[in-house]
Amino acid sequence: MALEFKKTTFLKVYTGEDVLLEDVPLYKAILREARRLGLAGGTVSRGIEGYAANLRGVGRAVNTLISGNANYPIIIEIVDERENIEKILPFLEKNATHALVLVEEATYMVTDYMREQGYKGFRSIENKGVVPSYIKKQLND
C-alpha cells in the first residue's frame, strides 16, 4: 500500500516545573483545560536540563511528585485539528505568562493500524477503554 500522509496542527508549550497557575503546576492546568475542551491528546515531558534568556526560579525550588525538589524544564505537546487547537489558545494567552507557546502545522503518516481501526481523523478512533477515575475527577474539577 502506498504511504499516506495527512496534515494536522501541533501545539508545543515550553515552561518549567516551578511555574504555577494558582496552586497547580501550569503543565497540569494546561492538560486539564485540554481534556475539558476535548482535545485529541497531550503529552508532558520533563527535560533533564535547559536554559532560557531570562532565569526563573533561581533560589526557589518547588517540591513536585515528578522530580522531588527541582526546577526542570517541562514540554507539553498536543496534536489535533487546527480548529480544536485554537480552542485552548485564549487560555494559554491568559495563563502561560512564563512559557513559550508554539503552534505549527505538521505532517503525519497514516499507518496500517489506523486504517484497520477505521481512521478518518483524530476523532474517528473510539477510545474503547475505561476512563480512569483520576481522569474523571480532573474533568469534573
Side-chain angles (χ1 to χ4, degrees):
M1 185 173 286
L3 293 177
E4 179 183 357
F5 295 91
K6 295 198 176 192
K7 299 285 184 188
T8 191
T9 301
F10 189 84
L11 172 71
K12 189 180 266 191
V13 181
Y14 293 89
T15 188
E17 265 184 327
D18 67 326
V19 178
L20 302 175
L21 177 59
E22 297 172 4
D23 61 342
V24 176
L26 179 62
Y27 66 92
K28 286 187 178 190
I30 291 170
L31 283 187
R32 185 178 297 162
E33 181 67 6
R35 281 190 192 107
R36 187 187 73 75
L37 293 169
L39 299 184
T43 301
V44 174
S45 302
R46 183 184 73 195
I48 59 171
E49 192 171 343
Y51 77 96
N54 295 320
L55 293 176
R56 46 153 246 301
V58 175
R60 177 181 84 165
V62 174
N63 191 11
T64 68
L65 293 175
I66 289 180
S67 65
N69 222 6
N71 184 19
Y72 291 109
I74 297 289
I75 302 167
I76 303 109
E77 298 172 311
I78 300 173
V79 179
D80 203 333
E81 297 166 357
R82 179 75 183 205
E83 59 269 14
N84 294 323
I85 293 293
E86 289 175 354
K87 293 177 185 177
I88 199 167
L89 296 180
F91 173 86
L92 294 171
E93 182 179 25
K94 179 180 178 187
N95 298 302
T97 57
H98 289 82
L100 171 65
V101 178
L102 303 176
V103 178
E104 302 175 20
E105 297 305 313
T107 303
Y108 66 94
M109 183 175 70
V110 178
T111 64
D112 287 341
Y113 174 79
M114 296 165 100
R115 287 185 198 96
E116 289 167 9
Q117 298 298 313
Y119 179 82
K120 292 183 182 69
F122 283 103
R123 305 275 171 216
S124 66
I125 298 176
E126 258 186 60
N127 179 1
K128 297 176 184 170
V130 176
V131 177
S133 60
Y134 73 93
I135 299 285
K136 287 181 185 175
K137 182 182 181 311
Q138 288 181 358
L139 290 171
N140 293 328
D141 286 347

